[in-house]
């Protein structure tokens, strides 16, 4: 039976029992997490761009070239637009290559394109479902002991620029061997579809249709973000996805010491950049000083170890473990669905670049090229 003829429960999964100590530890860690977290919360779709060389001889592997973290399809298309524009500006070897890249950019400036081929590379806007595991009390899963962490924990302000990006170098290979627990999760999530009256009918129809058109799923590496909750309210996201738990903790450290004091009016927005909850302004009220100390103390607890939850001013901040899955069909990863909504239309994003590699920075974005 060919893959094209296989039903959702018949797509093959290659299972490999972990034998290396690190792999065995990760599998044991996953088993412990599965025992503690028996439910899932689906947050919604995320979008990115994957690419495939046309000379793969029928291979099914794709590589992520735009991280699958964007909130709507057009944001991913815009990121592809920028990727190709800079490739034309900085990488193209000659006029012919640059001309091909610029033609693709021109399409992305005016059309909601979800797939195009440029210089024998196929680019596709892909759709992933973001979800998180929940325990019996509705608590969102935190990082696992075996999740990747940098050897040296860098808390300096510029550390984020040196950190790995989400999905950097990620290859999507549905035929790669999986551990037993990974395989079980993958098979269990194949029927995942939206349900309930809170979703519009077109969204429900697209979700059900996707289970048939893309019957397999591919699980992406975990990512991490800040979630927060006040009182008995629901958890809400407080940051974008980060590649490591430490990146998310460092983001929370900055939010607690720099952003929150300004948002709450404890430090003026026009104060010196170095002024924060740890280095408060010289002139401050007693009440503001106490609130700044509470924020600084919460941030300090993050730095004391692998701390994944702190509380300040009645709000609980948690480092959450985010998971994503891509639906996969006979022709590769799923593209955006008709019911997926974009927040804006395609548009020109960069100055005009000609086929010789000359940039015209004085021309406003969107200006017509001279005839």
């Amino acid at each position: 039976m060919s893959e094209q003829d296989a039903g959702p429960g018949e797509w093959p999964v290659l299972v490999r029992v972990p034998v290396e100590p690190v792999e065995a530890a990760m599998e044991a860690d996953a088993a412990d997490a599965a025992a503690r977290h028996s439910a899932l919360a689906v947050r919604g779709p995320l979008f990115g761009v994957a690419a495939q060389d046309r000379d793969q001889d029928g291979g099914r592997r794709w590589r992520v070239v735009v991280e699958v973290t964007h909130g709507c399809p057009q944001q991913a298309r815009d990121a592809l637009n920028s990727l190709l524009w800079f490739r034309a500006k900085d990488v193209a070897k000659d006029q012919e290559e640059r001309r091909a890249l610029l033609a693709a950019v021109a399409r992305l400036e005016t059309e909601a394109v979800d797939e195009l081929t440029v210089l024998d590379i196929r680019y596709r806007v892909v759709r992933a479902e973001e979800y998180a595991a929940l325990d019996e009390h509705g608590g969102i899963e935190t990082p696992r002991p075996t999740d990747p962490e940098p050897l040296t924990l860098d808390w300096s302000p510029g550390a984020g620029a040196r950190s790995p990006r989400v999905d950097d170098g990620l290859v999507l290979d549905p035929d790669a061997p999986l551990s037993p627990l990974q395989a079980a999760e993958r098979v269990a999530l194949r029927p995942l579809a939206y349900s309930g009256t809170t979703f519009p009918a077109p969204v429900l129809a697209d979700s059900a249709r996707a289970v048939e058109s893309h019957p397999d799923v591919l699980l992406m590496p975990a990512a991490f973000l800040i979630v927060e909750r006040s009182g008995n309210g629901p958890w809400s996201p407080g940051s974008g996805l980060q590649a490591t738990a430490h990146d998310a903790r460092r983001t929370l450290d900055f939010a607690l010491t720099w952003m929150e004091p300004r948002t709450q009016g404890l430090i003026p927005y026009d104060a010196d950049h170095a002024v924060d909850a740890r280095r408060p302004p010289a002139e401050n009220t007693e009440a503001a000083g106490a609130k700044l100390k509470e924020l600084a103390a919460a941030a300090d607890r993050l730095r004391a170890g692998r701390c994944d939850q702190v509380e300040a001013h009645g709000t609980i901040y948690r480092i959450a473990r985010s998971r994503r899955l891509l639906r996969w069909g006979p022709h590769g990863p799923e593209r955006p669905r008709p019911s997926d909504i974009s927040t804006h239309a395609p548009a020109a994003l960069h100055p005009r670049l000609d086929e010789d590699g000359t940039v015209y920075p004085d021309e406003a974005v969107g200006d017509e090229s001279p005839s």
Side-chain angles (χ1 to χ4, degrees), residues 175-240:
D175 301 317
L178 304 174
S179 73
L181 281 171
Q182 289 172 334
E185 182 178 4
R186 177 170 163 179
V187 172
L189 289 175
R190 283 175 173 173
L192 179 67
Y194 296 155
S195 62
T197 57
T198 58
F199 294 99
V203 173
L204 293 173
D206 282 351
S207 184
R209 192 178 301 114
V211 175
E212 300 298 325
S213 63
H214 295 76
D216 199 9
V217 298
L218 185 145
L219 305 182
M220 303 182 69
F224 306 89
L225 75 157
I226 304 164
V227 295
E228 53 190 64
R229 181 174 68 181
S230 298
N232 295 320
W235 291 100
S236 60
S239 75

Side-chain angles (χ1 to χ4, degrees), residues 95-340:
Q95 285 185 337
E96 184 179 359
E97 284 194 3
R98 192 171 290 112
R99 195 179 300 120
L101 290 162
L102 291 175
V105 169
R107 284 194 64 193
L108 287 163
E109 290 176 344
T110 57
E111 302 176 40
V113 182
D114 287 332
E115 184 162 326
L116 72 168
T117 299
V118 189
L119 300 175
D120 291 326
I121 298 177
R122 177 165 57 171
Y123 296 92
R124 176 179 295 181
V125 178
V126 297
R127 181 191 198 276
E129 205 73 66
E130 184 184 12
Y131 64 101
L134 304 178
D135 62 24
E136 59 181 343
H137 305 294
I140 298 178
E141 184 183 13
T142 55
R144 299 174 184 175
T146 50
D147 283 329
E149 296 272 20
L151 295 176
T152 302
L153 301 183
D154 188 349
W155 296 94
S156 64
R162 299 186 294 272
S163 296
R165 300 186 64 177
V166 176
D167 300 334
D168 187 26
L170 178 62
V171 174
L172 305 173
D173 184 1
D175 301 317
L178 304 174
S179 73
L181 281 171
Q182 289 172 334
E185 182 178 4
R186 177 170 163 179
V187 172
L189 289 175
R190 283 175 173 173
L192 179 67
Y194 296 155
S195 62
T197 57
T198 58
F199 294 99
V203 173
L204 293 173
D206 282 351
S207 184
R209 192 178 301 114
V211 175
E212 300 298 325
S213 63
H214 295 76
D216 199 9
V217 298
L218 185 145
L219 305 182
M220 303 182 69
F224 306 89
L225 75 157
I226 304 164
V227 295
E228 53 190 64
R229 181 174 68 181
S230 298
N232 295 320
W235 291 100
S236 60
S239 75
L241 294 184
Q242 305 287 336
T244 71
H246 177 68
D247 291 319
R249 294 187 197 104
R250 188 180 56 249
T251 300
L252 179 54
D253 179 272
F254 174 79
L256 291 170
T257 59
W258 199 94
M259 186 58 69
E260 280 298 316
R262 286 164 171 79
T263 302
Q264 297 181 25
L266 304 174
I267 295 176
Y269 272 104
D270 59 358
D272 186 272
H273 187 83
V275 174
D276 61 17
R278 292 190 178 97
R279 295 167 290 272
E283 296 181 0
N284 215 339
T285 66
E286 184 177 348
K291 290 183 177 180
L292 288 171
K293 285 183 179 179
E294 186 176 350
L295 289 168
D300 289 343
R301 289 195 293 275
L302 287 173
R303 298 193 178 197
R306 293 182 59 149
C307 178
D308 292 323
Q309 183 168 303
V310 296
E311 183 174 356
H313 300 174
T315 298
I316 298 173
Y317 301 90
R318 174 176 289 191
I319 306 302
R321 190 178 197 270
S322 171
R323 297 147 81 173
R324 294 164 296 160
L325 65 85
L326 281 163
R327 298 213 70 93
W328 206 277
H331 303 292
E334 184 184 15
R335 296 188 287 187
R337 299 171 184 174
S339 57
D340 289 327

